[in-house]
Amino acid sequence: MKFVAFERAKQGTGASRRLRITGRTPGIVYGGTGEPTLIELDHNALFHAIKKEAFHASILEMELAGKTQKVLLRDLQMHPYKQQVLHIDFQRVEAKTKMTVKVPLHYSGEEESPAVKAEGCLVNHVLTELTISCFPADIPEFIAVDLSGLKKGTSLHVKDITLPKGVKFVAKGQDNPVLVSVSAVSEEAEADAAAAAAAAAAALDPKAKGGAKPAAKPAAKK
């Protein structure tokens, strides 16, 4: 994914505020062998870009001063209530240096799993992204996770899935965290749902047991 950035001469709170008024977003590029560089981006183009998953989880090509650099998004500051990007940070990517990044998890197949299809269980996605370490060329846009084998009373952990070649999971407090858990619908919840469905049917059908009776005809006048 490509984007265009421009060198920024001034820094400071006042300069950044004036920059935002003109429809630009201040930022910085750091890391690698180069010095940190102040940059600015067109806010509208940036705002549309951050809505795409690839902008957050893949190597980006940044055009700056006529040259293209490979970078990764590292930080994004949003306005508390406005749809406005206040500041953005990028890190330069070097081919021979391993990087630690967060990659989204794409789940599929749960509707076909025995847990859902045959046993009516609920599947809970505990994690939606995974922190990994690998060389830049091996960074995946996402990690696909097949849930078609889930069964009642089971859970899926990191060690249960196969990571892409060259990719290593980075543990932060847990060596084997739960990705997905399966929970059965309680009998009480099923009974409540059945009772609610019966009550709704009775309300729509006056002839149904327990339903409303037809109004009595008025007595004839003598």
Side-chain angles (χ1 to χ4, degrees):
M1 188 172 177
K2 298 181 179 180
F3 68 96
V4 179
F6 306 90
E7 292 185 354
R8 175 164 56 102
K10 297 181 180 181
Q11 59 179 318
T13 303
S16 295
R17 186 183 300 111
R18 290 190 294 272
L19 194 64
R20 296 185 190 104
I21 293 174
T22 64
R24 300 272 181 158
T25 299
I28 189 172
V29 182
Y30 59 84
T33 56
E35 294 293 325
T37 303
L38 299 176
I39 61 172
E40 59 185 71
L41 297 85
D42 178 79
H43 181 269
N44 288 339
L46 175 61
F47 192 76
H48 284 89
I50 64 174
K51 295 179 181 179
K52 300 178 181 179
E53 186 178 72
F55 193 80
H56 298 260
S58 61
I59 296 176
L60 308 172
E61 292 186 355
M62 180 184 71
E63 182 182 329
L64 179 65
K67 297 181 180 180
T68 300
Q69 304 178 38
K70 291 186 176 182
V71 298
L72 276 173
L73 174 64
R74 278 311 192 189
D75 191 31
L76 186 70
Q77 297 176 26
M78 298 294 298
H79 193 280
Y81 56 87
K82 294 181 181 179
Q83 290 188 331
Q84 183 182 21
V85 183
L86 298 179
H87 196 275
I88 192 165
D89 294 5
F90 296 99
Q91 181 181 356
R92 296 186 185 94
V93 171
E94 293 189 336
K96 296 182 179 181
T97 302
K98 281 191 174 183
M99 307 193 73
T100 299
V101 297
K102 291 183 178 180
V103 176
L105 296 170
H106 284 193
Y107 296 109
S108 65
E110 64 183 71
E111 295 298 328
E112 290 74 38
S113 68
V116 174
K117 194 172 183 179
E119 299 165 327
C121 297
L122 297 177
V123 176
N124 307 302
H125 298 171
V126 180
L127 295 182
T128 58
E129 61 183 13
L130 211 59
T131 302
I132 62 169
S133 174
C134 61
F135 289 108
D138 296 326
I139 297 176
E141 186 174 331
F142 61 86
I143 295 175
V145 181
D146 182 15
L147 303 180
S148 60
L150 287 178
K151 296 181 180 180
K152 183 178 180 179
T154 62
S155 58
L156 190 72
H157 294 72
V158 168
K159 292 183 180 179
D160 297 325
I161 67 173
T162 301
L163 296 176
K165 184 178 179 181
V167 173
K168 182 180 179 181
F169 167 65
V170 177
K172 290 189 174 182
Q174 293 182 317
D175 293 332
N176 192 27
V178 175
L179 301 180
V180 173
S181 64
V182 178
S183 58
V185 179
S186 65
E187 294 181 0
E188 291 81 359
E190 291 179 346
D192 291 344
L204 295 174
D205 185 4
K207 295 181 181 180
K209 186 178 180 180
K213 296 181 180 180
K217 294 182 179 180
K221 294 182 179 181
K222 295 182 178 180

